[in-house]
Amino acid sequence: MFVDTIRIFAKAGRGGSGLASFRREKFVPRGGPDGGDGGDGGDVILEVEPHTNDLREYYYNRSLVAERGQPGMHARKHGKSGRTIIAKVPPGTIVHRLSASTMQEAAWLEKEGQTLEKEVVADMTETGSRFTLCRGGKGGRGNWHFRTPTDQAPREFEPGGEAESGVFELELRRIADVGLVGYPNAGKSTLLGAISEAKPKVAAYPFTTLQPVVGVVEFDDYSRCVVADIPGIIEGAHQNRGLGHEFLRHIMRCRLLLFIIDMSGLERDPIEALEQLRREIKLYDEELSQKPWLVAANKMDEESAPGNLGNFKARFPKLETIPISAMHAEGLDALKNRLKASIARE
């Protein structure tokens, strides 16, 4: 199961209350106030963990609730602070705060047809970086702090501070240098497996790739780039048709888009395929369509491919097109060199 968007409830710990007490010992008739401070409540913190691939951890446990601080004690002893929760998220996680205060309220508002407002509060990309999702309440002061020259026996103390809470939506947008874009069965998974150590599922039926697969391509000078295989896009993907719309978010961060076009023409005309893919990308996000892009003309081992490639180049004379055969590992060196040069310029 692949989970790339999830809604959770988070609540930090409330601060512990201060204590109003007085020192009572033998031979100390005027011991005075000795109430200790309450402990601070625990925070809820998100931390980027590179070995975490998705958000499935929160599918079965959607509540992050930190411990509250313990109240102050006698003899000016400080209450124990609540334990902080540190939750792991993969790189590329965007955190949205929703306008609802509880999960039940969010569900009710959506059931009533109302739109929940979202506010981006964090964009977590750097490994090891942390974001405090909810901050715990401060511990209250005991009555020892309220003594004055005119009031040597104060009974005043502070209650623990309130803790932050809220409903949040975590959205994963994979980070990759190159995003492979194409129709189902265009050969994206085969290409990724040929140029990297990734082992995506490959089969001769639509939607073989059901989730983004990431591979690392190493070059001769030991530099590398990250390539993401995005599930196939179909016509109407920007309107939530097929699988592509669910995963188009994962190419938003890519520095370069590599369109994989099936030059055999057995399933669809290569020219129409590219035009439709570019149209879907633009309709989904105008900014995404402005990213640098190349075309890999795949399945050049097929008999009809050379003729289709000639027509393709005549239709797009200024477009850089790299002929390859991912299945037979032909033209991959030229493609890798081109990817390396493109990434270096970005």
Side-chain angles (χ1 to χ4, degrees):
M1 178 177 61
F2 179 77
V3 180
D4 64 348
T5 179
I6 196 77
R7 184 176 296 174
I8 64 172
F9 172 76
K11 183 178 182 180
R14 181 186 176 118
S17 296
L19 180 67
S21 69
F22 297 89
R23 182 180 178 187
R24 301 186 185 280
E25 298 179 32
K26 192 175 182 180
F27 307 119
V28 186
R30 295 182 177 85
D34 72 345
D37 301 342
D40 295 336
D43 299 332
V44 178
I45 296 175
L46 299 180
E47 181 180 41
V48 176
E49 169 57 62
H51 302 296
T52 303
N53 296 320
D54 61 15
L55 301 168
R56 77 181 74 181
E57 176 183 348
Y58 306 101
Y59 185 81
Y60 299 104
N61 181 21
R62 303 196 184 196
S63 295
L64 301 176
V65 181
E67 288 184 347
R68 63 184 305 166
Q70 298 298 313
M73 295 175 285
H74 297 281
R76 289 185 272 174
K77 292 181 180 178
H78 199 286
K80 182 181 178 181
S81 294
R83 186 178 61 180
T84 291
I85 290 180
I86 301 178
K88 307 293 186 179
V89 296
T93 299
I94 297 179
V95 184
H96 304 264
R97 180 187 288 274
L98 304 187
S99 55
S101 57
T102 64
M103 296 284 274
Q104 293 78 7
E105 181 185 355
W108 182 82
L109 290 173
E110 290 183 331
K111 184 178 180 181
E112 295 296 317
Q114 300 186 38
T115 302
L116 287 173
E117 295 182 5
K118 296 182 181 181
E119 176 189 3
V120 176
V121 295
D123 189 353
M124 309 186 69
T125 58
E126 297 296 329
T127 299
S129 63
R130 290 186 172 186
F131 173 72
T132 302
L133 196 63
C134 294
R135 197 172 299 278
K138 299 293 293 182
R141 294 183 297 169
N143 66 336
W144 183 79
H145 290 278
F146 296 94
R147 68 196 190 286
T148 67
T150 58
D151 185 3
Q152 294 294 310
R155 297 182 179 276
E156 183 180 358
F157 67 93
E158 288 181 343
E162 293 289 341
E164 296 178 347
S165 65
V167 179
F168 301 87
E169 185 175 272
L170 307 182
E171 178 188 2
L172 174 60
R173 294 185 180 182
R174 295 234 181 194
I175 300 176
D177 298 306
V178 181
L180 304 183
V181 183
Y183 278 102
N185 289 344
K188 303 188 305 300
S189 297
T190 303
L191 175 61
L192 182 63
I195 63 177
S196 75
E197 294 299 320
K199 303 300 180 184
K201 184 178 180 181
V202 178
Y205 56 86
F207 303 125
T208 304
T209 303
L210 300 178
Q211 66 184 53
V213 180
V214 176
V216 178
V217 179
E218 296 187 354
F219 302 114
D220 294 337
D221 60 355
Y222 301 106
S223 61
R224 56 178 58 186
C225 75
V226 180
V227 179
D229 175 14
I230 309 301
I233 299 174
I234 66 172
E235 185 176 357
H238 70 283
Q239 297 175 332
N240 205 20
R241 289 187 58 198
L243 296 173
H245 179 264
E246 292 297 319
F247 301 106
L248 278 171
R249 65 171 67 94
H250 294 287
I251 62 176
M252 292 295 295
R253 298 180 187 273
C254 294
R255 300 159 62 184
L256 175 73
L257 302 183
L258 180 62
F259 288 81
I260 312 301
I261 303 299
D262 179 0
M263 279 295 155
S264 69
L266 298 178
E267 294 192 17
R268 57 181 54 85
D269 180 72
I271 295 176
E272 293 181 359
L274 179 62
E275 291 177 340
Q276 185 61 43
L277 287 171
R278 292 295 300 170
R279 186 179 305 113
E280 291 297 331
I281 292 291
K282 186 174 182 179
L283 290 173
Y284 177 75
D285 189 280
E286 181 71 30
E287 182 179 350
L288 181 60
S289 67
Q290 302 301 320
K291 286 182 177 289
W293 59 288
L294 301 171
V295 170
N298 194 24
K299 302 186 181 181
M300 290 303 299
D301 52 298
E302 295 288 344
E303 183 178 353
S304 57
N308 289 333
L309 179 60
N311 296 332
F312 189 86
K313 289 185 175 182
R315 174 63 179 83
F316 306 106
K318 298 182 180 181
L319 178 60
E320 183 174 6
T321 304
I322 304 171
I324 65 169
S325 173
M327 179 175 293
H328 298 282
E330 298 175 357
L332 300 187
D333 288 339
L335 176 62
K336 291 172 65 174
N337 291 335
R338 187 63 186 85
L339 293 179
K340 177 183 176 182
S342 300
I343 296 301
R345 287 202 302 265
E346 290 298 313

